[in-house]
Amino acid sequence: MKKPMKSVTATAVLGISLIAGFSFASAGSEKDDLKSDKVTFFGSPTSSISSSVAVPQHYNRLSFSGTVPPLLNKDGKTTYERYGDTETQAIGILEKFKADLKAKGLSLADVIYLRVYVAPDPNKGDIPDYQGWFDAYAQFFNTKENSVKTARSTVGVESLVSPDYLIEIEAEVAYKNKNKSK
């Protein structure tokens, strides 16, 4: 059986994250961190994503179905004019999540997992524009404003439900149940 990877974090990041209601696991304490009363993110501090996330039992969960980009211009002649490139589409989806979460009293800091489907971009040699997705993600996560690094899967797919969609994103959210004391 392989030994699990140990996680390391900087003290400054840990201090900020504890205030936000989540924590990053520290080296050598993964077993103890699994017993935390906060959402705990595991992984390398140099990665833009977490390798895993532990959610305590007293947290509620919210799942977002696959979300597609907003229409930018219904009269646009091309995919880019109607919905934008992969990065623009991803930003539009993440902004949708941000607004929906805000309406529920939550934020992107409550997102623990993203499942992302990226379709081929006909303007980029019919290959998925992963970099466009990564650039969009970097504007919302692992930032000064939101230090959360979600666990994440990014999958290249042949197509999505509309040929104009270059990306679709599902999100998992964990938030503290305010009706329970802990």
Side-chain angles (χ1 to χ4, degrees):
M1 183 170 188
K2 290 184 179 179
K3 191 173 182 178
M5 175 183 77
K6 292 192 177 186
S7 304
V8 194
T9 60
T11 305
V13 172
L14 184 59
I16 292 167
S17 63
L18 288 174
I19 293 167
F22 61 88
S23 63
F24 292 99
S26 56
S29 68
E30 289 184 355
K31 275 187 182 177
D32 292 334
D33 289 326
L34 285 174
K35 298 173 189 166
S36 172
D37 67 343
K38 295 179 177 14
V39 173
T40 305
F41 295 83
F42 297 89
S44 167
T46 59
S47 177
S48 62
I49 64 174
S50 293
S51 59
S52 60
V53 181
V55 179
Q57 185 175 359
H58 63 278
Y59 273 70
N60 290 325
R61 304 287 290 256
L62 174 66
S63 299
F64 282 91
S65 293
T67 303
V68 296
L71 181 64
L72 301 175
N73 176 1
K74 69 179 177 72
D75 298 320
K77 303 282 186 244
T78 68
T79 294
Y80 280 16
E81 289 174 2
R82 287 185 295 276
Y83 290 92
D85 61 5
T86 301
E87 181 176 357
T88 301
Q89 290 189 19
I91 289 169
I93 294 168
L94 294 172
E95 289 290 351
K96 278 185 184 182
F97 287 153
K98 186 176 179 179
D100 195 358
L101 288 165
K102 184 177 181 182
K104 291 172 173 56
L106 302 170
S107 74
L108 288 174
D110 297 303
V111 175
I112 60 166
Y113 186 84
L114 295 171
R115 185 173 297 106
V116 183
Y117 305 95
V118 184
D121 182 337
N123 295 308
K124 296 198 175 181
D126 273 330
I127 60 170
D129 180 12
Y130 295 112
Q131 192 59 52
W133 157 237
F134 299 154
D135 292 345
Y137 174 88
Q139 294 179 42
F140 293 84
F141 297 96
N142 195 26
T143 66
K144 196 184 292 186
E145 298 79 30
N146 179 15
S147 60
V148 166
K149 299 188 311 184
T150 66
R152 186 180 83 199
S153 297
T154 302
V155 181
V157 296
E158 184 177 320
S159 66
L160 294 168
V161 79
S162 166
D164 280 339
Y165 300 155
L166 301 174
I167 189 164
E168 182 174 328
I169 305 173
E170 300 172 3
E172 297 291 331
V173 178
Y175 58 98
K176 193 155 191 168
N177 184 346
K178 293 173 176 73
N179 296 329
K180 303 227 182 211
S181 60
K182 259 242 169 170

